[in-house]
Amino acid sequence: MKKYSVVICGGGSTYTPDMMELLCMMQKDFPLKKVVLFDNDEERQKIVGEYGRIMFQEYYPELEYSYTLDKEEAFQDIDFAFVQIRAGGMDQRNNDEKVPYRYNCIGQETCGPGGLAYGVRSVVQMIDMIKDIRTYSKDAWIINYSNPAAIVAEATKRLFPHDKKLVNICDMPTSVLDAYLPLIHVKRSQIYPKFFGLNHFGWFTGLYDKKSGHDYLPELLAYVKEHYDEVHEQFTAKIKGKDDHWGITFLHHLEMLHDFPYALPNTYNLYYLYPDKCLKHYDIRHTRYDEVIQGRETMVFAYCKEIAALGKMKGTKYDISAKINPDYKVDNPQAASTVYADNDVHAAYLVELVLSIINNANEIGLVMVKNDGICPNLDAGMMLEVACRIGKEEIVPLHYGPVPQFEKGLLENQYACEKLLVDAILDKDDFKLLQAFTENRIVRDADLAKQLIADFKEVNGDFWPQFQ
Ligand SMILES: NC(=O)c1ccc[n+]([C@@H]2O[C@H](COP(=O)([O-])OP(=O)(O)OC[C@H]3O[C@@H](n4cnc5c(N)ncnc54)[C@H](O)[C@@H]3O)[C@@H](O)[C@H]2O)c1
Ligand SMILES: O=P(O)(O)OC[C@H]1O[C@H](O[C@H]2[C@H](O)[C@@H](O)[C@@H](O)O[C@@H]2CO)[C@H](O)[C@@H](O)[C@@H]1O
Ligand SMILES: [Mn+2]
């Protein structure tokens, strides 16, 4: 079987350790020749890079492994580029989230004004990243996780319209399934989804059994309706404290499902449908940035540093020999993460897509693709997150059909915002930038839009293009 070469762009990402561990566990199904980490922050990447060096040395000794800031070393002769960069780093995430709270407006990583500011940085850096990868590896699959994925996807659609091996993905829908399918004793690996929307603004409308074609969604929705109080108690009991963002988010998600019980929504829909509830979730002194820095980032980096200091994993409390077995199957993602439990879906979803590609299995997964009539009553240019067959040479979307009026109205508004933002970035046009911010359902007000743009321009410094 061919041995593949992989580069992880954003090697210093808090998701990289779990991703490398999963690659180690998948040696039989996804055999590797080479893994390279690439980042633009040497100090940050070295923390993760040194963990990888020890982990692969002990559990994957034949693998070629390195970590680098050099583009040629990173992108030469690769088969897959997993891209998970954070343009501007966590410092700018802090600004994306805190600037809006100055004006009693939701500050969020990928939605609302924070997401638009993130989009300005990400589009510029992702375009450069893709051009660099293509300079050295014309035929590699580029699988992008970097956010804000909806805006990045809109931009990559325009700059690289014929690049069939450039894919934008998101793990949120997968997490929604993992939160709800256990209620009716169904595993995610048993089903394929029917879903539509923009990234971070979508709905499941079918959950089909891969063998029988049976749709589990009606019985799932009926179960939640019939046992609402019991499920609400279950979701409440799972919340590990006031900083348990995902526990609290999924409780609010259940309440949204109670109000709109005919489809299974993405958690991010909450920001658009319940902006007042979401605004109270954080305040300017403490946002998701603070929780991640104090939570995942602190834990993941401490784990990496401890192993680097030990110089080994085997025979220590960090030993993962029991998990490195040739029969491991990725359909149980919860088993995938040792480093940080919340990362369980991130790496698993990526590897599921990769396995469908290398085996030409044409498995059905959710990917962002140009609408072009998949949903005939939505703008043809929309980068829709829909069910697609994932094959060796290309990704083919399944037809969806028209969407209901309520969702159409929401999506067309959001797409107008995202499209205008990409127009503004590519044309460096400050009037379109004002239109994009004003169009956004969370901003709404032109005076607020002007103030937010001025503040983001100031805090972003050189990350912010010269609009005129
Ligand atoms: N699509 C999804 O559903 C999904 C899920 C999780 C995370 N993400 C995204 O994945 C990315 C990584 O998340 P994280 O929390 O691990 O971030 P992180 O801040 O921990 O790591 C990101 C890494 O990218 C590096 N980086 C930034 N700009 C770069 C550039 N131009 N070139 C090379 N490296 C660069 C940083 O130095 C950092 O090491 C973010 O964009 C996040 O929003 C997306
Ligand atoms: O606030 P964060 O940094 O923990 O997560 C932001 C991302 O949330 C979604 O992805 C994952 C998340 O990465 C992971 O930690 C887990 O807890 O659940 C989420 C859904 O799988 C979202 O899809 C990403 O786009 C965000 O960047
Ligand atoms: Mn996402």
Side-chain angles (χ1 to χ4, degrees):
M1 189 176 179
K2 174 178 165 62
K3 291 196 172 189
Y4 297 89
S5 293
V6 168
V7 60
I8 299 176
C9 301
S13 157
T14 53
Y15 294 91
T16 302
D18 272 318
M19 197 168 281
M20 291 196 286
E21 185 188 279
L22 187 57
L23 294 177
C24 218
M25 294 160 69
M26 300 296 299
Q27 296 181 39
K28 182 182 167 200
D29 290 341
F30 183 37
L32 299 177
K33 175 175 178 287
K34 171 173 78 169
V35 169
V36 187
L37 307 188
F38 173 77
D39 205 296
N40 65 358
D41 180 330
E42 184 170 19
E43 187 187 335
R44 185 185 180 90
Q45 177 164 259
K46 187 174 182 191
I47 299 167
V48 178
E50 278 305 294
Y51 159 75
R53 187 174 57 75
I54 292 160
M55 198 264 297
F56 286 130
Q57 219 163 29
E58 294 205 323
Y59 302 104
Y60 213 160
E62 69 276 21
L63 179 76
E64 287 173 43
Y65 169 75
S66 64
Y67 56 91
T68 181
L69 306 186
D70 179 82
K71 292 174 184 175
E72 186 167 0
E73 180 185 343
F75 304 143
Q76 190 76 39
D77 301 328
I78 54 142
D79 301 296
F80 289 92
F82 299 156
V83 186
Q84 49 191 31
I85 67 170
R86 183 181 294 282
M90 286 296 280
D91 289 348
Q92 287 303 333
R93 176 176 184 171
N94 193 28
N95 289 324
D96 295 344
E97 294 178 5
K98 295 213 169 55
V99 163
Y101 277 110
R102 294 176 187 170
Y103 310 103
N104 204 33
C105 177
I106 294 172
Q108 214 281 322
E109 180 202 29
T110 61
C111 297
L116 297 178
Y118 190 7
V120 169
R121 297 191 303 273
S122 235
V123 163
V124 171
Q125 296 192 33
M126 279 301 299
I127 289 170
D128 289 345
M129 171 75 66
I130 293 164
K131 286 179 179 172
D132 290 339
I133 294 169
R134 285 290 176 242
T135 300
Y136 299 100
S137 290
K138 301 229 173 300
D139 203 33
W141 278 90
I142 300 174
I143 304 182
N144 176 54
Y145 254 133
S146 310
N147 271 318
I151 293 167
V152 169
E154 174 63 22
T156 56
K157 170 195 79 175
R158 302 198 204 176
L159 274 294
F160 312 98
H162 308 299
D163 195 328
K164 293 278 182 209
K165 293 186 174 180
L166 170 53
V167 189
N168 290 285
I169 62 171
C170 171
D171 56 13
M172 195 70 240
T174 303
S175 281
V176 171
L177 293 182
D178 283 344
Y180 279 86
L181 286 175
L183 295 175
I184 55 169
H185 312 295
V186 172
K187 283 181 76 172
R188 185 161 54 81
S189 55
Q190 283 174 251
I191 64 107
Y192 69 88
K194 186 172 182 182
F195 186 95
F196 76 93
L198 291 163
N199 174 245
H200 287 191
F201 205 168
W203 293 262
F204 284 103
T205 53
L207 300 172
Y208 301 105
D209 187 279
K210 285 179 182 173
K211 293 195 176 79
S212 66
H214 169 71
D215 184 359
Y216 291 105
L217 185 60
E219 68 197 71
L220 172 61
L221 297 177
Y223 179 87
V224 170
K225 185 174 179 191
E226 205 176 309
H227 302 84
Y228 181 72
D229 294 341
E230 181 189 330
V231 177
H232 196 273
E233 277 169 32
Q234 279 176 29
F235 279 34
T236 304
K238 279 183 191 167
I239 296 172
K240 302 181 213 88
K242 69 171 182 54
D243 277 9
D244 181 1
H245 168 77
W246 291 109
I248 294 164
T249 297
F250 272 104
L251 182 64
H252 291 167
H253 179 277
L254 176 67
E255 293 162 356
M256 172 166 63
L257 183 56
H258 186 258
D259 288 345
F260 299 89
Y262 53 88
L264 187 59
N266 190 314
T267 55
Y268 283 89
N269 303 10
L270 284 164
Y271 293 104
Y272 303 103
L273 302 185
Y274 300 87
D276 294 341
K277 183 193 284 193
C278 293
L279 185 63
K280 295 187 192 98
H281 191 150
Y282 294 117
D283 65 33
I284 196 163
R285 296 176 306 278
H286 189 84
T287 64
R288 181 62 186 154
Y289 160 86
D290 302 288
E291 292 176 351
V292 172
I293 289 288
Q294 293 159 24
R296 182 170 71 244
E297 179 145 323
T298 297
M299 292 172 76
V300 169
F301 284 4
Y303 178 91
C304 292
K305 287 174 181 171
E306 284 159 24
I307 287 170
L310 265 179
K312 61 179 181 178
M313 292 172 72
K314 285 184 176 174
T316 75
K317 66 176 182 175
Y318 301 109
D319 195 345
I320 54 171
S321 303
K323 295 177 72 173
I324 309 296
N325 75 66
D327 301 322
Y328 173 79
K329 291 294 172 209
V330 79
D331 66 350
N332 172 16
Q334 277 66 24
S337 302
T338 296
V339 182
Y340 187 73
D342 257 5
N343 288 357
D344 52 21
V345 169
H346 188 86
Y349 186 50
L350 188 77
V351 169
E352 282 170 23
L353 286 187
V354 168
L355 292 178
S356 189
I357 289 169
I358 64 174
N359 299 322
N360 199 30
N362 289 296
E363 291 284 349
I364 294 174
L366 295 184
V367 164
M368 290 160 232
V369 292
K370 193 170 175 218
N371 179 17
D372 274 347
I374 299 166
C375 295
N377 66 334
L378 290 177
D379 189 306
M382 261 188 209
M383 286 301 278
L384 289 179
E385 199 164 26
V386 288
C388 298
R389 291 199 179 285
I390 316 294
K392 195 174 186 65
E393 288 311 316
E394 64 175 335
I395 287 178
V396 181
L398 307 185
H399 181 69
Y400 183 89
V403 305
Q405 187 57 56
F406 176 68
E407 291 80 3
K408 174 180 165 59
L410 290 166
L411 290 174
E412 293 284 8
N413 168 259
Q414 180 63 17
Y415 181 57
C417 164
E418 294 171 1
K419 187 174 177 303
L420 281 163
L421 186 83
V422 174
D423 291 346
I425 299 162
L426 299 183
D427 304 341
K428 293 192 173 53
D429 182 325
D430 62 1
F431 176 63
K432 287 179 182 171
L433 188 68
L434 173 61
Q435 287 182 313
F437 271 72
T438 307
E439 186 88 63
N440 188 276
R441 195 174 153 88
I442 291 168
V443 176
R444 294 167 300 118
D445 177 280
D447 285 332
L448 173 58
K450 286 189 291 188
Q451 184 64 62
L452 288 165
I453 290 168
D455 288 14
F456 279 127
K457 179 173 188 279
E458 186 189 346
V459 297
N460 272 274
D462 294 343
F463 287 119
W464 203 255
Q466 293 302 317
F467 291 92
Q468 67 269 339

